[in-house]
Amino acid sequence: MTQNGKNTAVAIQVDRLQKSYPGVKAVDGVSFTVPRGEIFGLLGPNGAGKTSTLAILEGLRQADGGQVTVLGYDIQRQPREVKRRIGVQLQQTSLLPDLSAIEQLILFARLYGRSLNKTAAHHLLNEVGLAEKANALPDKLSGGQQQRLALALALVNDPEIVFLDEPTAGLDPQARRRLWELVRQLRDQGRTVVLTTHYMEEAEALCHRVGIMDHGRLLALDTPGGLINQLAGSSTITTTAPLPLDEVKKMVGVQQAEQEGALLRLQTSDPATINTALLALADTLGIPLRDLHVQQPSLEDLFLHLTGRTIRDA
Ligand SMILES: Nc1ncnc2c1ncn2[C@@H]1O[C@H](COP(=O)(O)OP(=O)(O)OP(=O)(O)O)[C@@H](O)[C@H]1O
Ligand SMILES: [Mg+2]
C-alpha cells in the first residue's frame, strides 16, 4: 500500500539505531519494523535501552547513528510531521498538580494546537474510564487512574501511533488488566501501539510482537508464541510419583532430570513420548503417577536462555 509515495502498511522502521551517553551505549545497533495496527512491545530489564529507543522514535532525543522512519517521515528531517501524528506517554508522567483531569486534557490539546471542547474532553475521559473524575486533581487519583489519565493525555491529538513507556509499572493486577483493555481498544480503533514493559506476562498477553532488549541490543524479535517456540525442546515435566531418577535420566528424549525433595523435574524436547514412557515406568513399578504436569517454556525461560539471567535479577 502506498500513498504519496509512503508505505502506508508500515508504521515504524528502525535501522541500525545507535545512541550513546558518556560511558554507556544505550542503544547499540537496533533494527525493527512495526506494521500499522500492531501492538509492539519492547521487553527488557532496567537500563536495557527501551526508553532511549522510544525517545528517539518520538523525536524527543537525537540518535547518534542509524535511521528512523515514522509514518513514512524521517524523524531527523521531519520531526514536526511525526509529532503531529503520534501520542506519547512518558515513563514519568508529569501530571500538573493544580489542574483537574479535564483541565489537563484541554491544556494538552492546546499544546498540540488543537482545540478540545468540554464535551470532547469528557468523551476522552469516559473512554479511559475516568468520567467520574473529570474535576479531580491528580493527587486524588489512584495510581491506575493516574496512568489512565496519562493515557488520555497521549490521545488528545487523535494519534496514529501511541507510545507508552511502562504504562502499567507499579499497578496492581486489576488496574493492569484494565489498562490492557484500554490498549486493546486503541488497537481496535486502528492505532499502532508501541509499549515497553518489564513484565513477561504483559508482553505475552498484550503484544502481537515482542522485542527482547538487553544492554542496548535487540536479542530476539517475534510473536510471543514464536519466541517461546525458539525454546521448543525444553518443556518441563514434573511429578511427585517416587520414580527412580536413574531410570528417568536414561529415557531417550530426556535432556536433564533432577530430584528436589518429593518433586521429580525433567526437561524434554518430546513431552508426549516422555509422558508415555513415565506412565509405562510407573505402571511396571506399580506406582500411581501422581501430579504429573507438563509446562511449556515461557518468555521468562527464553529471557534466561538469551541473557543467562532472569529479568528480575537483571
Ligand atoms: N540522559 C541520560 N544520560 C546519561 N545516561 C543515560 C541517559 N538516559 C539513559 N541513560 C543510560 O542509558 C542506558 C539505557 O537507559 P534507558 O533509560 O534507555 O533504559 P530502559 O530500558 O528504559 O530502563 P528502565 O527499564 O529502567 O526504564 C542506561 O545505562 C542509562 O543509565
Ligand atoms: Mg525506561
Side-chain angles (χ1 to χ4, degrees):
M1 280 183 279
T2 57
Q3 193 183 352
N4 305 329
K6 297 188 190 311
N7 184 342
T8 54
V10 174
I12 298 169
Q13 191 134 30
V14 179
D15 190 28
R16 287 166 289 175
L17 190 64
Q18 300 271 355
K19 177 72 183 176
S20 292
Y21 302 109
V24 53
K25 267 193 175 173
V27 184
D28 189 8
V30 165
S31 303
F32 59 87
T33 301
V34 182
R36 275 190 197 248
E38 182 165 280
I39 302 176
F40 179 84
L42 285 177
L43 175 75
N46 288 125
K50 306 182 297 296
T51 297
S52 300
T53 302
L54 241 53
I56 296 165
L57 307 193
E58 294 158 353
L60 301 177
R61 271 185 229 171
Q62 291 274 341
D64 301 336
Q67 212 190 359
V68 175
T69 311
V70 179
L71 297 166
Y73 298 100
D74 183 304
I75 192 67
Q76 299 265 25
R77 288 189 284 114
Q78 298 158 293
R80 289 167 61 93
E81 294 297 334
V82 172
K83 285 180 189 176
R84 286 173 48 193
R85 293 170 170 85
I86 65 172
V88 173
Q89 182 188 353
L90 299 175
Q91 188 165 4
Q92 250 85 37
T93 298
S94 27
L95 296 173
L96 298 163
D98 300 327
L99 292 187
S100 69
I102 195 158
E103 287 167 342
Q104 316 236 3
L105 281 177
I106 290 168
L107 176 72
F108 246 69
R110 206 171 299 148
L111 294 177
Y112 269 105
R114 298 212 172 195
S115 68
L116 192 70
N117 62 30
K118 278 212 155 175
T119 313
H122 267 293
H123 181 77
L124 202 48
L125 284 175
N126 192 38
E127 208 176 312
V128 298
L130 287 178
E132 267 94 80
K133 299 291 178 182
N135 298 312
L137 295 178
D139 67 351
K140 297 291 183 294
L141 301 177
S142 71
Q145 290 168 340
Q146 290 184 13
Q147 292 289 69
R148 281 187 271 136
L149 177 56
L151 182 59
L153 291 173
L155 299 176
V156 290
N157 63 329
D158 191 20
E160 292 175 51
I161 307 178
V162 187
F163 292 94
L164 307 172
D165 200 354
E166 308 217 12
T168 68
L171 299 187
D172 62 50
Q174 200 188 344
R176 177 169 300 153
R177 267 156 219 286
R178 183 106 201 248
L179 218 108
W180 290 358
E181 275 316 306
L182 289 175
V183 172
R184 292 189 183 112
Q185 269 177 38
L186 299 180
R187 173 207 56 201
D188 292 344
Q189 293 163 354
R191 304 183 210 267
T192 307
V193 180
V194 178
L195 61 87
T196 72
T197 182
H198 285 198
Y199 303 113
M200 297 286 174
E201 71 277 15
E202 179 157 296
E204 214 165 331
L206 199 53
C207 298
H208 294 114
R209 286 186 314 141
V210 180
I212 297 185
M213 261 193 108
D214 194 25
H215 298 305
R217 288 170 182 269
L218 203 54
L219 302 179
L221 172 63
D222 204 340
T223 58
L227 287 170
I228 289 165
N229 277 340
Q230 290 188 14
L231 272 191
S234 52
S235 289
T236 303
I237 299 181
T238 55
T239 174
T240 56
L243 296 171
L245 184 61
D246 285 351
E247 293 292 318
V248 172
K249 279 185 171 169
K250 275 191 251 164
M251 289 174 179
V252 176
V254 170
Q255 294 158 334
Q256 202 196 334
E258 62 194 5
Q259 189 79 42
E260 194 183 298
L263 196 71
L264 181 94
R265 179 187 297 112
L266 67 84
Q267 250 77 45
T268 178
S269 55
D270 189 358
T273 303
I274 297 302
N275 262 350
T276 310
L278 289 173
L279 274 167
L281 178 63
D283 195 42
T284 311
L285 300 171
I287 301 170
L289 194 52
R290 283 192 308 256
D291 304 330
L292 184 75
H293 292 290
V294 180
Q295 213 183 346
Q296 300 292 329
S298 65
L299 270 186
E300 185 79 55
D301 296 321
L302 177 68
F303 189 83
L304 182 67
H305 175 75
L306 291 171
T307 68
R309 314 182 316 285
T310 69
I311 196 161
R312 273 169 218 90
D313 296 339

PDB file of all heavy atoms in Angstrom, residues 1-2 11 18 57 100 103 124 150 163 181 186 189 195-196 200-201 239-240 245 260-261 276 278 287 295 314:
ATOM      1  N   MET A   1       0.833  -1.202   0.000  1.00  0.00           N
ATOM      2  CA  MET A   1       0.000   0.000   0.000  1.00  0.00           C
ATOM      3  C   MET A   1       0.869   1.254   0.000  1.00  0.00           C
ATOM      4  O   MET A   1       1.743   1.382   0.839  1.00  0.00           O
ATOM      5  CB  MET A   1      -0.848   0.023   1.280  1.00  0.00           C
ATOM      6  CG  MET A   1      -2.060  -0.847   1.209  1.00  0.00           C
ATOM      7  SD  MET A   1      -3.041  -0.693   2.703  1.00  0.00           S
ATOM      8  CE  MET A   1      -2.155  -1.768   3.812  1.00  0.00           C
ATOM      9  N   THR A   2       0.624   2.122  -0.922  1.00  0.00           N
ATOM     10  CA  THR A   2       1.373   3.372  -0.906  1.00  0.00           C
ATOM     11  C   THR A   2       0.434   4.551  -1.100  1.00  0.00           C
ATOM     12  O   THR A   2      -0.594   4.456  -1.750  1.00  0.00           O
ATOM     13  CB  THR A   2       2.446   3.422  -2.012  1.00  0.00           C
ATOM     14  OG1 THR A   2       1.797   3.227  -3.253  1.00  0.00           O
ATOM     15  CG2 THR A   2       3.513   2.382  -1.828  1.00  0.00           C
ATOM     16  N   ALA A  11       4.231   1.358  10.001  1.00  0.00           N
ATOM     17  CA  ALA A  11       4.142   2.494  10.926  1.00  0.00           C
ATOM     18  C   ALA A  11       5.540   3.012  11.272  1.00  0.00           C
ATOM     19  O   ALA A  11       5.770   4.221  11.259  1.00  0.00           O
ATOM     20  CB  ALA A  11       3.399   2.080  12.196  1.00  0.00           C
ATOM     21  N   GLN A  18      21.619   3.860  16.857  1.00  0.00           N
ATOM     22  CA  GLN A  18      22.714   3.980  17.840  1.00  0.00           C
ATOM     23  C   GLN A  18      22.461   5.179  18.728  1.00  0.00           C
ATOM     24  O   GLN A  18      22.066   6.248  18.236  1.00  0.00           O
ATOM     25  CB  GLN A  18      24.046   4.261  17.113  1.00  0.00           C
ATOM     26  CG  GLN A  18      24.483   3.209  16.127  1.00  0.00           C
ATOM     27  CD  GLN A  18      25.327   2.135  16.776  1.00  0.00           C
ATOM     28  OE1 GLN A  18      25.659   2.238  17.963  1.00  0.00           O
ATOM     29  NE2 GLN A  18      25.671   1.108  16.022  1.00  0.00           N
ATOM     30  N   LEU A  57      12.421   7.556  18.662  1.00  0.00           N
ATOM     31  CA  LEU A  57      11.284   7.386  17.747  1.00  0.00           C
ATOM     32  C   LEU A  57      10.274   8.512  17.902  1.00  0.00           C
ATOM     33  O   LEU A  57       9.587   8.899  16.955  1.00  0.00           O
ATOM     34  CB  LEU A  57      10.561   6.051  17.989  1.00  0.00           C
ATOM     35  CG  LEU A  57      11.363   4.755  17.983  1.00  0.00           C
ATOM     36  CD1 LEU A  57      10.440   3.558  17.922  1.00  0.00           C
ATOM     37  CD2 LEU A  57      12.329   4.726  16.828  1.00  0.00           C
ATOM     38  N   SER A 100      -7.361  20.008  37.191  1.00  0.00           N
ATOM     39  CA  SER A 100      -8.220  18.827  37.233  1.00  0.00           C
ATOM     40  C   SER A 100      -7.976  17.990  35.980  1.00  0.00           C
ATOM     41  O   SER A 100      -7.360  18.454  35.009  1.00  0.00           O
ATOM     42  CB  SER A 100      -9.689  19.257  37.288  1.00  0.00           C
ATOM     43  OG  SER A 100     -10.050  19.841  36.052  1.00  0.00           O
ATOM     44  N   GLU A 103      -9.179  19.646  32.872  1.00  0.00           N
ATOM     45  CA  GLU A 103      -8.380  20.830  32.526  1.00  0.00           C
ATOM     46  C   GLU A 103      -7.048  20.431  31.899  1.00  0.00           C
ATOM     47  O   GLU A 103      -6.552  21.083  30.977  1.00  0.00           O
ATOM     48  CB  GLU A 103      -8.137  21.692  33.773  1.00  0.00           C
ATOM     49  CG  GLU A 103      -9.372  22.447  34.234  1.00  0.00           C
ATOM     50  CD  GLU A 103      -9.234  23.048  35.634  1.00  0.00           C
ATOM     51  OE1 GLU A 103      -8.344  22.615  36.403  1.00  0.00           O
ATOM     52  OE2 GLU A 103     -10.029  23.940  35.963  1.00  0.00           O
ATOM     53  N   LEU A 124     -13.299  11.694  26.020  1.00  0.00           N
ATOM     54  CA  LEU A 124     -11.987  11.051  26.169  1.00  0.00           C
ATOM     55  C   LEU A 124     -11.822  10.469  27.581  1.00  0.00           C
ATOM     56  O   LEU A 124     -11.333   9.345  27.745  1.00  0.00           O
ATOM     57  CB  LEU A 124     -10.898  12.096  25.883  1.00  0.00           C
ATOM     58  CG  LEU A 124      -9.520  11.627  25.467  1.00  0.00           C
ATOM     59  CD1 LEU A 124      -9.583  10.594  24.356  1.00  0.00           C
ATOM     60  CD2 LEU A 124      -8.696  12.825  25.000  1.00  0.00           C
ATOM     61  N   ALA A 150      -2.940   9.701  32.110  1.00  0.00           N
ATOM     62  CA  ALA A 150      -1.759   9.892  31.260  1.00  0.00           C
ATOM     63  C   ALA A 150      -2.012   9.327  29.861  1.00  0.00           C
ATOM     64  O   ALA A 150      -1.597   9.906  28.854  1.00  0.00           O
ATOM     65  CB  ALA A 150      -0.550   9.219  31.899  1.00  0.00           C
ATOM     66  N   PHE A 163       2.747   5.815  21.865  1.00  0.00           N
ATOM     67  CA  PHE A 163       3.919   5.277  22.556  1.00  0.00           C
ATOM     68  C   PHE A 163       3.659   5.271  24.058  1.00  0.00           C
ATOM     69  O   PHE A 163       3.345   6.320  24.629  1.00  0.00           O
ATOM     70  CB  PHE A 163       5.147   6.151  22.279  1.00  0.00           C
ATOM     71  CG  PHE A 163       5.634   6.092  20.858  1.00  0.00           C
ATOM     72  CD1 PHE A 163       5.215   7.029  19.925  1.00  0.00           C
ATOM     73  CD2 PHE A 163       6.511   5.090  20.458  1.00  0.00           C
ATOM     74  CE1 PHE A 163       5.667   6.977  18.619  1.00  0.00           C
ATOM     75  CE2 PHE A 163       6.972   5.031  19.150  1.00  0.00           C
ATOM     76  CZ  PHE A 163       6.541   5.977  18.224  1.00  0.00           C
ATOM     77  N   GLU A 181      -6.930  -3.600  28.640  1.00  0.00           N
ATOM     78  CA  GLU A 181      -8.168  -3.472  27.863  1.00  0.00           C
ATOM     79  C   GLU A 181      -8.162  -2.172  27.063  1.00  0.00           C
ATOM     80  O   GLU A 181      -8.570  -2.139  25.903  1.00  0.00           O
ATOM     81  CB  GLU A 181      -9.397  -3.522  28.781  1.00  0.00           C
ATOM     82  CG  GLU A 181      -9.864  -4.926  29.096  1.00  0.00           C
ATOM     83  CD  GLU A 181      -9.867  -5.816  27.853  1.00  0.00           C
ATOM     84  OE1 GLU A 181     -10.492  -5.421  26.842  1.00  0.00           O
ATOM     85  OE2 GLU A 181      -9.216  -6.890  27.867  1.00  0.00           O
ATOM     86  N   LEU A 186      -7.354   0.722  21.749  1.00  0.00           N
ATOM     87  CA  LEU A 186      -6.596   1.584  20.825  1.00  0.00           C
ATOM     88  C   LEU A 186      -6.312   0.828  19.537  1.00  0.00           C
ATOM     89  O   LEU A 186      -6.437   1.360  18.439  1.00  0.00           O
ATOM     90  CB  LEU A 186      -5.282   2.037  21.463  1.00  0.00           C
ATOM     91  CG  LEU A 186      -5.387   2.871  22.741  1.00  0.00           C
ATOM     92  CD1 LEU A 186      -4.002   3.243  23.243  1.00  0.00           C
ATOM     93  CD2 LEU A 186      -6.212   4.115  22.495  1.00  0.00           C
ATOM     94  N   GLN A 189      -9.266   0.520  17.403  1.00  0.00           N
ATOM     95  CA  GLN A 189      -9.546   1.780  16.696  1.00  0.00           C
ATOM     96  C   GLN A 189      -8.600   1.965  15.510  1.00  0.00           C
ATOM     97  O   GLN A 189      -8.647   2.991  14.832  1.00  0.00           O
ATOM     98  CB  GLN A 189      -9.389   2.966  17.654  1.00  0.00           C
ATOM     99  CG  GLN A 189     -10.431   3.008  18.762  1.00  0.00           C
ATOM    100  CD  GLN A 189     -10.025   3.918  19.919  1.00  0.00           C
ATOM    101  OE1 GLN A 189      -8.917   4.444  19.947  1.00  0.00           O
ATOM    102  NE2 GLN A 189     -10.928   4.094  20.867  1.00  0.00           N
ATOM    103  N   LEU A 195       4.869  -0.134  23.099  1.00  0.00           N
ATOM    104  CA  LEU A 195       4.988  -0.001  24.544  1.00  0.00           C
ATOM    105  C   LEU A 195       6.238  -0.697  25.047  1.00  0.00           C
ATOM    106  O   LEU A 195       6.815  -1.554  24.370  1.00  0.00           O
ATOM    107  CB  LEU A 195       3.733  -0.540  25.240  1.00  0.00           C
ATOM    108  CG  LEU A 195       3.354  -1.995  25.051  1.00  0.00           C
ATOM    109  CD1 LEU A 195       4.054  -2.889  26.082  1.00  0.00           C
ATOM    110  CD2 LEU A 195       1.848  -2.167  25.201  1.00  0.00           C
ATOM    111  N   THR A 196       6.657  -0.310  26.235  1.00  0.00           N
ATOM    112  CA  THR A 196       7.763  -1.006  26.882  1.00  0.00           C
ATOM    113  C   THR A 196       7.244  -1.630  28.160  1.00  0.00           C
ATOM    114  O   THR A 196       6.256  -1.159  28.733  1.00  0.00           O
ATOM    115  CB  THR A 196       8.919  -0.062  27.262  1.00  0.00           C
ATOM    116  OG1 THR A 196       8.498   0.746  28.371  1.00  0.00           O
ATOM    117  CG2 THR A 196       9.316   0.833  26.104  1.00  0.00           C
ATOM    118  N   MET A 200       6.864  -9.969  31.772  1.00  0.00           N
ATOM    119  CA  MET A 200       6.731 -11.039  30.785  1.00  0.00           C
ATOM    120  C   MET A 200       5.267 -11.291  30.438  1.00  0.00           C
ATOM    121  O   MET A 200       4.902 -11.416  29.271  1.00  0.00           O
ATOM    122  CB  MET A 200       7.282 -12.346  31.354  1.00  0.00           C
ATOM    123  CG  MET A 200       8.732 -12.312  31.663  1.00  0.00           C
ATOM    124  SD  MET A 200       9.639 -12.381  30.121  1.00  0.00           S
ATOM    125  CE  MET A 200      11.297 -12.159  30.743  1.00  0.00           C
ATOM    126  N   GLU A 201       4.440 -11.369  31.471  1.00  0.00           N
ATOM    127  CA  GLU A 201       3.041 -11.750  31.221  1.00  0.00           C
ATOM    128  C   GLU A 201       2.322 -10.641  30.455  1.00  0.00           C
ATOM    129  O   GLU A 201       1.410 -10.903  29.685  1.00  0.00           O
ATOM    130  CB  GLU A 201       2.312 -12.138  32.514  1.00  0.00           C
ATOM    131  CG  GLU A 201       1.995 -11.014  33.468  1.00  0.00           C
ATOM    132  CD  GLU A 201       3.168 -10.623  34.378  1.00  0.00           C
ATOM    133  OE1 GLU A 201       4.315 -11.025  34.090  1.00  0.00           O
ATOM    134  OE2 GLU A 201       2.945  -9.889  35.344  1.00  0.00           O
ATOM    135  N   THR A 239       6.581 -34.412  38.459  1.00  0.00           N
ATOM    136  CA  THR A 239       5.682 -35.355  39.109  1.00  0.00           C
ATOM    137  C   THR A 239       6.187 -35.591  40.539  1.00  0.00           C
ATOM    138  O   THR A 239       7.387 -35.451  40.801  1.00  0.00           O
ATOM    139  CB  THR A 239       5.594 -36.701  38.364  1.00  0.00           C
ATOM    140  OG1 THR A 239       4.798 -37.603  39.139  1.00  0.00           O
ATOM    141  CG2 THR A 239       6.953 -37.320  38.138  1.00  0.00           C
ATOM    142  N   THR A 240       5.251 -35.921  41.428  1.00  0.00           N
ATOM    143  CA  THR A 240       5.669 -36.287  42.796  1.00  0.00           C
ATOM    144  C   THR A 240       5.696 -37.803  42.971  1.00  0.00           C
ATOM    145  O   THR A 240       5.948 -38.301  44.059  1.00  0.00           O
ATOM    146  CB  THR A 240       4.718 -35.679  43.850  1.00  0.00           C
ATOM    147  OG1 THR A 240       3.392 -36.096  43.554  1.00  0.00           O
ATOM    148  CG2 THR A 240       4.801 -34.165  43.856  1.00  0.00           C
ATOM    149  N   LEU A 245      15.151 -41.930  39.786  1.00  0.00           N
ATOM    150  CA  LEU A 245      15.745 -40.856  38.977  1.00  0.00           C
ATOM    151  C   LEU A 245      16.647 -41.418  37.873  1.00  0.00           C
ATOM    152  O   LEU A 245      16.630 -40.947  36.738  1.00  0.00           O
ATOM    153  CB  LEU A 245      16.519 -39.905  39.888  1.00  0.00           C
ATOM    154  CG  LEU A 245      17.129 -38.665  39.230  1.00  0.00           C
ATOM    155  CD1 LEU A 245      16.058 -37.779  38.595  1.00  0.00           C
ATOM    156  CD2 LEU A 245      17.945 -37.862  40.241  1.00  0.00           C
ATOM    157  N   GLU A 260      13.996 -32.940  43.535  1.00  0.00           N
ATOM    158  CA  GLU A 260      14.050 -31.841  44.502  1.00  0.00           C
ATOM    159  C   GLU A 260      13.014 -32.156  45.574  1.00  0.00           C
ATOM    160  O   GLU A 260      11.828 -31.936  45.364  1.00  0.00           O
ATOM    161  CB  GLU A 260      13.742 -30.524  43.780  1.00  0.00           C
ATOM    162  CG  GLU A 260      14.075 -29.284  44.559  1.00  0.00           C
ATOM    163  CD  GLU A 260      13.651 -28.031  43.773  1.00  0.00           C
ATOM    164  OE1 GLU A 260      14.180 -27.815  42.665  1.00  0.00           O
ATOM    165  OE2 GLU A 260      12.768 -27.321  44.270  1.00  0.00           O
ATOM    166  N   GLY A 261      13.462 -32.700  46.682  1.00  0.00           N
ATOM    167  CA  GLY A 261      12.514 -33.188  47.686  1.00  0.00           C
ATOM    168  C   GLY A 261      11.665 -34.275  47.063  1.00  0.00           C
ATOM    169  O   GLY A 261      12.191 -35.210  46.454  1.00  0.00           O
ATOM    170  N   THR A 276       4.364 -40.815  27.994  1.00  0.00           N
ATOM    171  CA  THR A 276       4.016 -42.225  27.814  1.00  0.00           C
ATOM    172  C   THR A 276       5.033 -43.130  28.509  1.00  0.00           C
ATOM    173  O   THR A 276       4.666 -44.100  29.186  1.00  0.00           O
ATOM    174  CB  THR A 276       3.975 -42.565  26.301  1.00  0.00           C
ATOM    175  OG1 THR A 276       3.174 -41.580  25.658  1.00  0.00           O
ATOM    176  CG2 THR A 276       3.390 -43.927  26.050  1.00  0.00           C
ATOM    177  N   LEU A 278       6.922 -42.343  31.048  1.00  0.00           N
ATOM    178  CA  LEU A 278       6.768 -42.227  32.503  1.00  0.00           C
ATOM    179  C   LEU A 278       5.602 -43.079  32.991  1.00  0.00           C
ATOM    180  O   LEU A 278       5.691 -43.766  34.014  1.00  0.00           O
ATOM    181  CB  LEU A 278       6.535 -40.760  32.901  1.00  0.00           C
ATOM    182  CG  LEU A 278       7.729 -39.806  32.764  1.00  0.00           C
ATOM    183  CD1 LEU A 278       7.285 -38.367  33.022  1.00  0.00           C
ATOM    184  CD2 LEU A 278       8.861 -40.190  33.710  1.00  0.00           C
ATOM    185  N   ILE A 287       3.426 -48.019  40.715  1.00  0.00           N
ATOM    186  CA  ILE A 287       3.318 -46.722  41.404  1.00  0.00           C
ATOM    187  C   ILE A 287       2.283 -45.865  40.674  1.00  0.00           C
ATOM    188  O   ILE A 287       2.342 -45.770  39.450  1.00  0.00           O
ATOM    189  CB  ILE A 287       4.682 -45.980  41.349  1.00  0.00           C
ATOM    190  CG1 ILE A 287       5.773 -46.809  42.005  1.00  0.00           C
ATOM    191  CG2 ILE A 287       4.604 -44.600  41.990  1.00  0.00           C
ATOM    192  CD1 ILE A 287       7.172 -46.242  41.778  1.00  0.00           C
ATOM    193  N   GLN A 295       4.843 -28.442  31.445  1.00  0.00           N
ATOM    194  CA  GLN A 295       4.872 -26.991  31.331  1.00  0.00           C
ATOM    195  C   GLN A 295       5.635 -26.592  30.083  1.00  0.00           C
ATOM    196  O   GLN A 295       6.801 -26.976  29.909  1.00  0.00           O
ATOM    197  CB  GLN A 295       5.569 -26.429  32.566  1.00  0.00           C
ATOM    198  CG  GLN A 295       5.024 -25.118  32.989  1.00  0.00           C
ATOM    199  CD  GLN A 295       5.808 -24.581  34.177  1.00  0.00           C
ATOM    200  OE1 GLN A 295       6.566 -25.289  34.826  1.00  0.00           O
ATOM    201  NE2 GLN A 295       5.641 -23.305  34.437  1.00  0.00           N
ATOM    202  N   ALA A 314      18.149  -9.224  36.589  1.00  0.00           N
ATOM    203  CA  ALA A 314      18.909  -8.391  35.648  1.00  0.00           C
ATOM    204  C   ALA A 314      18.930  -6.937  36.108  1.00  0.00           C
ATOM    205  O   ALA A 314      18.053  -6.463  36.770  1.00  0.00           O
ATOM    206  CB  ALA A 314      18.308  -8.492  34.261  1.00  0.00           C
TER     207      ALA A 314
END
